[in-house]
């Protein structure tokens, strides 16, 4: 499918539950970055280390995600690699919540994340009239 300029346009999946799951995935990604930031700023007694971890950890996670797990990542590995990056970033968010003293919240975040990623990967479908998408990627 192309727009008037001949560029490829995204096909929007019409399944409401799937769209809701994709929105939840985005929220989980943002929350994971926030949790990594929170953990970093509360980790050490030294202000310099706290600032470095509070800003550096989520920044590193965002770069990692953007390079390997984002839908338009420039270096998209096969599905196991994508899931590894998602596990590191999103699982890191759950571990960060545990690290700041909220073990029950960490379990909830981990379970919601696992269910969300599983649903997203299992129910991806090919673009109508085209070949199957690359595993681990959103249909264009």
């Amino acid at each position: 499918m192309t727009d008037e300029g001949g560029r490829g346009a995204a096909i929007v999946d019409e399944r409401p539950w799937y769209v809701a799951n994709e929105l939840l995935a985005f929220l989980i990604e943002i929350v994971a970055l926030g949790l990594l930031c929170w953990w970093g700023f509360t980790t050490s007694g030294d202000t310099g280390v706290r600032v470095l971890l509070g800003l550096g950890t989520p920044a590193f996670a965002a770069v990692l995600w953007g390079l390997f797990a984002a839908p338009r990542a420039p270096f998209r590995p096969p599905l196991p690699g994508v899931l590894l990056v998602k596990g590191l970033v999103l699982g890191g968010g759950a571990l960060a919540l545990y690290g700041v003293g909220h073990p029950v919240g960490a379990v909830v975040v981990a379970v919601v994340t696992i269910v969300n990623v599983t649903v997203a990967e299992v129910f991806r479908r090919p673009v109508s009239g085209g070949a199957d998408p690359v595993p681990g990627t959103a249909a264009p």
Side-chain angles (χ1 to χ4, degrees), residues 26-129:
F26 179 70
L27 291 174
I28 291 170
E29 294 160 19
I30 299 301
V31 166
L33 293 176
L35 292 172
L36 289 168
C37 185
W38 182 16
W39 169 82
F41 278 114
T42 60
T43 297
S44 169
D46 182 41
T47 303
V49 173
R50 285 197 324 254
V51 170
L52 182 64
L53 291 173
L55 298 176
T57 306
F60 177 76
V63 168
L64 187 67
W65 188 275
L67 288 174
F68 302 107
R72 296 179 193 251
F75 306 106
R76 190 75 178 193
L79 182 59
V82 172
L83 293 177
L84 176 65
V85 171
K86 287 183 177 188
L88 288 172
V89 174
L90 303 177
L95 286 174
L97 187 57
Y98 181 84
V100 295
H102 297 282
V104 174
V107 170
V108 170
V109 167
V111 169
V112 170
T113 299
I114 290 167
V115 169
N116 175 264
V117 170
T118 301
V119 168
E121 295 304 327
V122 169
F123 289 100
R124 292 214 192 277
R125 69 174 175 194
V127 178
S128 54

Side-chain angles (χ1 to χ4, degrees), residues 1-11 72 140:
M1 178 176 208
T2 58
D3 59 15
E4 292 176 12
R7 297 179 306 264
I11 297 175
R72 296 179 193 251

